[in-house]
Amino acid sequence: MDATTAPHRIPSEMPQYGEAKRVFEMLQNMLEQLLIHRPEEPIPFMIDYLQQNNDNVPKIVVLGPPAAGKTTIAMWLCKHLKSNLLTIENLIAKDFSSRAADDRRHYQKMKPVPSMLLVRLIQERLRKEDCVQRGWILDGIPATREQALMIQALGIIPRHVIALSAPDTVLIERNLGKRIDPRTGEIYHTTFDWPPESEIQNRLVVPAGISEPETAQKLLEHHRNIVRILPLYPKILKVISADQPCVDVFYQALTYVQTNNQSNAPFTPRVLLCGPVGSGKSLQAALLAQKYSLVNVCCGQLLKEAVADKSKYGEVIQPFFDKEIAVPDGIVKKLLCQRLSQLDCVRRGWVLHGFPRDVDQARMLTGRDHMPNRVFFLNVPLDSIIERLTLRRTDPVTGERYHLMYKPPPTIEIQARLLQNPKDSEEQIKLQMDQFYRKCAELEQFYEQAITVNGDQDPYTVFEYLESGIINPLPTKVP
């Protein structure tokens, strides 16, 4: 497009489609692969790449010192994500080619596999159909910066890198407690995982290479290498403390790998804030609008402005205001869609609150191509809502608003003349809360990728959660 003729009225369905189908990321990934492999015939290469349709499969590296539990975490991730686990042992154990057989003989004699042979073996394994379709998880690979650079040079780029860490004293203690069942190959621990059967206990043996000096030497080697590996993955690295229960480590790792990396795609936020009265929607909308230059669209305020401006919609709305009854959905929808279609909303994005309040209203927005791309539900318990609203007061002389707990009046004279809005009575609040939560469950099901945020905390903490949900891509849901 010619930038000199901007601003352009781009149909709203175009960026919505591009974001929903991740078109920008798909083209970016394809271009990366094209430049890495530099095929003689780029068109067939791109067609083959698109047919693979594997942009979202796991591509994970799990690193960590000895006894940090990286193999356990990698195995659990592999099982949960239905992916392929790649270790040095299983790479050289399977007969993928004559190279694997050569590496196996070398490994049996010398133990360490040369980096060049290992990387070529990884490349060969990743070309197999199961790795192409279901992804892969590298356990403890790369172990050196040399290996990491060689893997990158071949175009093997992980999406997530997890580095486990723990104090050396903890790791040495863990390693000293390891025991192996020579009959089954199962690994046990004298403190954390001791078998209840006496028969198994009696046949357990101490594995080789776990003495304190040997473990200390391995840890020293790991520390020397890891500080040179991690800087190669600055944007996709997650360091997790392994000095906690293994299940907690796993769930932190799983949460991370299910999060999409931040995209470079153009993004216009269309934010919807849902929550009961008093949950802080107006405040959060104002904060988001201020920081990101979004258009703050409050449905209730929009109706009041239409009446004040005496517009054609205002004339229709005025009788409902006079009778203090709800404005019909059809009128609200037309007024709201008119506002969201204006150029500032299309170009800058918007943050909407006060609508929709049920599934039927939500479908109205969807039908008019005003589907939000970020939806947040602010969850606040009833007691906190009552505390927030029932203690609100207004000074009839100055119009100043106070809160008896958070913003008390400065003098006794002012306090004596303060008035409470009838809508802030406990009975009215309970009624509105009941109406909201009766329709909330269906609304949450309608917006499947909605994010629930604890609104019962400091407003700026809530804002940070909202901001994170807007900046970062939505998490990938794995069954």
Side-chain angles (χ1 to χ4, degrees), residues 199-420:
E199 181 184 352
I200 298 178
Q201 294 176 11
N202 294 332
R203 67 171 183 250
L204 294 183
V205 297
V206 179
I210 68 165
S211 68
E212 186 168 341
E214 290 172 304
T215 304
Q217 180 61 37
K218 291 177 182 177
L219 287 171
L220 183 63
E221 184 179 354
H222 167 79
H223 294 318
R224 192 163 47 235
N225 287 316
I226 198 69
V227 294
R228 302 179 69 237
I229 295 173
L230 298 187
L232 297 176
Y233 306 109
K235 296 184 179 180
I236 56 174
L237 173 66
K238 174 74 170 179
V239 179
I240 300 176
S241 170
D243 189 15
Q244 55 182 320
C246 199
V247 173
D248 293 346
V249 177
F250 167 69
Y251 279 113
Q252 289 179 45
L254 180 63
T255 300
Y256 174 62
V257 300
Q258 288 179 340
T259 303
N260 293 318
N261 296 319
Q262 193 165 338
S263 170
N264 295 319
F267 178 64
T268 304
R270 300 184 300 276
V271 183
L272 172 61
L273 299 180
C274 297
V277 58
S279 58
K281 300 186 297 293
S282 298
L283 174 59
Q284 297 302 327
L287 292 173
L288 289 172
Q290 181 182 22
K291 180 162 185 178
Y292 293 101
S293 299
L294 305 180
V295 180
N296 188 351
V297 183
C298 172
C299 188
Q301 188 63 30
L302 203 61
L303 297 174
K304 293 176 184 177
E305 289 174 358
V307 171
D309 295 341
K310 296 182 179 180
S311 65
K312 65 175 183 177
Y313 286 116
E315 293 175 359
V316 177
I317 295 168
Q318 182 68 61
F320 297 99
F321 274 25
D322 294 339
K323 297 176 184 178
E324 295 185 355
I325 58 177
V327 180
D329 288 350
I331 299 174
V332 177
K333 179 194 74 172
K334 289 179 181 178
L335 183 62
L336 189 58
C337 290
Q338 181 189 62
R339 181 67 187 93
L340 297 180
S341 298
Q342 291 179 10
L343 191 59
D344 58 345
C345 285
V346 174
R347 293 180 61 196
R348 291 159 46 196
W350 42 262
V351 51
L352 171 64
H353 51 111
F355 190 94
R357 299 187 179 185
D358 57 42
V359 174
D360 292 334
Q361 292 180 348
R363 290 196 181 100
M364 289 180 182
L365 278 182
T366 307
R368 292 300 301 269
D369 295 323
H370 295 302
M371 189 72 172
N373 50 24
R374 292 295 185 274
V375 180
F376 299 95
F377 282 85
L378 301 181
N379 191 13
V380 182
L382 176 60
D383 292 345
S384 297
I385 294 285
I386 290 175
E387 180 184 279
R388 289 182 182 185
L389 300 186
T390 58
L391 299 180
R392 294 195 299 194
R393 298 292 187 271
T394 304
D395 185 344
V397 176
T398 64
E400 185 74 20
R401 294 183 178 183
Y402 296 97
H403 191 281
L404 298 183
M405 181 177 292
Y406 304 122
K407 186 187 175 184
T411 66
I412 298 176
E413 180 186 356
I414 295 176
Q415 183 170 354
R417 67 177 185 241
L418 295 182
L419 298 176
Q420 182 186 38

